[in-house]
Structures are given as structure tokens and as C-alpha cells.
Amino acid sequence: MRIGWLRRLFGDRGERLATKFLRNLGFTILATQDRSLLGEIDIVVQKGDTIVFVEVKTRKSTAAGHPTEAITLTKQKQLTRTALAWLKRRNLLEHRARFDVIAIIWGDGKEPIIQHYINAFEPTGDGQMYS
């Protein structure tokens, strides 16, 4: 139980850093840690008429692989369904949308390495969105 709690705190720290990073790039933050029955969206931002759903993956190292490797096809389908429902609930289906990924590698007390993958994957599964 304790390891799960510590992992969550570490992930939250990465999401806060990603939010600050995106704000500094001129994005407007619409939501963070948005949970529904379908799943969670880490960060939702907007720039112009484009809504961006951001998945954040934070790791201490790449020993177990790059953080982006955790975004499997199954995860992409789940994020697509969750994002579509998010847009529908807010009457924002007319907006362009895309999926970005922010990978953070946070070594032992070092400055984190932040990698921003724009349009990291296309909507996947049934009821795809358009970007």
C-alpha cells in the first residue's frame, strides 16, 4: 500500500511540473487530474481553438524503459474514450483536439528532463475524434 501511495505522490509531482511547463508555453489549463467512470485525463489544455489532452509519464530513470513506452494501444483507446466524453460533457465537440505526451525523467536530485511529444498518437478505437 505504501509504495502505491509514494508512486502516486511522485506522479502528482510530475503532473504539477508538466502543468507549469505547459503554462509557460502559453497553454490555458482547463483541467488537471480529471476523473470519470471512463478513466483519468492528466491535463487538459487549450491553445487557440485546439483542446489538447496531455498524458504525463514520470520516471526516476529509463532503466525499465522510456516513460512513453507505458502508453500502450489499450491506454490510447481508454484515453480516446475518456477525452471524447470530456468534450461531449462540455459541449466542445466543434473544437480541434489532439493527444500530447509529456515524459519526465527525474533522476536522483537532478533537474528533471522534460520531453513534450506533440500529437503523440491519433485517436484510437470506436468513435474516434478528429484533429
Side-chain angles (χ1 to χ4, degrees):
M1 177 75 177
R2 185 169 191 228
I3 290 181
W5 181 74
L6 290 173
R7 186 174 294 150
R8 180 69 185 170
L9 284 177
F10 186 68
D12 288 351
R13 183 178 179 201
E15 288 177 20
R16 285 191 306 274
L17 179 64
T19 301
K20 182 179 177 184
F21 174 82
L22 291 165
R23 190 176 286 121
N24 287 340
L25 290 177
F27 287 92
T28 300
I29 309 301
L30 301 179
T32 58
Q33 296 182 345
D34 190 272
R35 292 179 180 89
S36 73
L37 294 175
L38 296 172
E40 178 183 338
I41 300 172
D42 293 336
I43 305 171
V44 184
V45 295
Q46 183 173 359
K47 196 172 217 182
D49 69 341
T50 303
I51 306 288
V52 183
F53 297 93
V54 183
E55 178 69 8
V56 181
K57 291 296 180 191
T58 307
R59 300 289 184 269
K60 292 182 181 179
S61 73
T62 58
H66 193 272
T68 57
E69 293 174 25
I71 305 171
T72 63
L73 182 58
T74 300
K75 180 67 173 176
Q76 291 175 25
K77 288 179 181 179
Q78 182 260 333
L79 287 169
T80 299
R81 285 190 307 271
T82 306
L84 184 57
W86 191 93
L87 290 169
K88 284 181 180 178
R89 279 194 317 270
R90 288 160 180 80
N91 241 359
L92 295 172
L93 288 172
E94 74 280 359
H95 284 71
R96 297 179 61 199
R98 71 171 196 245
F99 293 95
D100 287 6
V101 172
I102 293 184
I104 300 172
I105 301 168
W106 215 320
D108 298 330
K110 299 176 187 172
E111 285 293 312
I113 297 168
I114 302 171
Q115 298 170 306
H116 183 193
Y117 297 90
I118 298 169
N119 206 24
F121 61 90
E122 292 296 318
T124 308
D126 298 327
Q128 287 105 342
M129 301 170 2
Y130 302 97
S131 60

